[in-house]
Amino acid sequence: MSDKPVVFSGIQPSGTLHIGNYYGAVRRWAAEQGHNFNIFCLVDMHAITVPQDPAELREKTLETAAILLAAGIDPQRSALFVQSDVGEHAQLAWLLNGIASMGQLQRMTQYKEKSAERREQSTVGLFTYPLLMAADILLYRTNFVPVGADQKQHVELTRDLAQRFNATFGETFVLPEPTIPALGARIMGLDDPTKKMSKSGGRSGHAVGVLDSADAIKSAIMSAQTDSGSEISIDRDRPGVSNLLSIYIAATGTTREAAEQHFAGKGYGTLKREVVDALVAELAPLQARYAELRASPDHLRALLTRSATAIRPIAQQTYADAKRAMGLGLGSPGGQE
Ligand code: AMP
Ligand code: TRP
């Protein structure tokens, strides 16, 4: 492995990627590939913590891979693989089950939100989800984890677990740090700007998918909830307009000051139309590259398999170290451990 910093991130291959995923995570993964050793993972084992149709999950795994490549993930510079292809993820997650406390996991906001409605029916996997995520990160001795703001708590938990493991069993894991973008870290739902845009939002008018047609983008943005008033600025009391303006800033690469000045004295209709134009301009070329890539599923499968083969030895080594440190297995013949 090179001595460049290791960057690892994951995305669930369920639902369709939306602009929150794109601006909060994927676009940055692509932009920052040059400086690091990059590993991007399609976390299909995280996806099954809520019900999935098997055929659809497999389809979405290829779709998500093609979107990431279309967004600029370069297989020459980055590993891109499917989580369930490297068995050590589940194996290390189990070891972490012996480290994490119930209380720690009960404090996780994502778990509380996702299980709020039907706690008794929600899967055990939804509860232990952060341990699998911690295993993903720790296996590759990751330094940096680029994610949206919603995942910061999980990366901090990973750090705590690694620290506890190292203190108890000896230096084994590298402590990771989350990196959160200044802009686009939390894109909110268009129908309800107090809730983050999510893949499970489901309702039409909630999200803009990165594969949405120009017409669909237009109808979602034009019907987005705005606020009473008319000033266009980022303001905690006006979440609807703030969200649209944040999307505009993320899509055009302008600054907050320049954007606020640009829209001074203009109405919400103008803001919405310009957001539509900016999104269509950004997403149309991505969609064209996606269509090409998606037309060769065998090529996608081969690329994902090759990548898993290339990085598996790193995961195997870290897992073997963790296992030995905890006293599992028989150790080596004649050895001290
Ligand atoms: P997920 O869709 O949960 O697999 O998330 C994949 C990546 O997108 C993670 O880095 C998330 O933090 C990020 N992400 C998800 N939803 C949003 C959002 N609404 N705004 C910004 N980033 C997000
Ligand atoms: N839990 C993350 C999400 O829902 C996805 C994920 C899984 C991840 N494993 C990871 C992100 C490791 C960063 C690092 O967004």
Side-chain angles (χ1 to χ4, degrees), residues 104 108 151-161 163 176 178:
Q104 266 181 314
M108 294 294 115
Q151 296 301 315
K152 184 165 179 250
Q153 196 186 28
H154 288 159
V155 183
E156 280 162 0
L157 173 76
T158 304
R159 224 182 134 79
D160 287 351
L161 295 174
Q163 228 155 5

Side-chain angles (χ1 to χ4, degrees), residues 212-231:
D212 280 358
S213 66
D215 280 348
I217 294 174
K218 190 169 174 192
S219 101
I221 297 291
M222 296 314 283
S223 59
Q225 205 193 95
T226 41
D227 317 276
S228 55
S230 58
E231 201 188 321

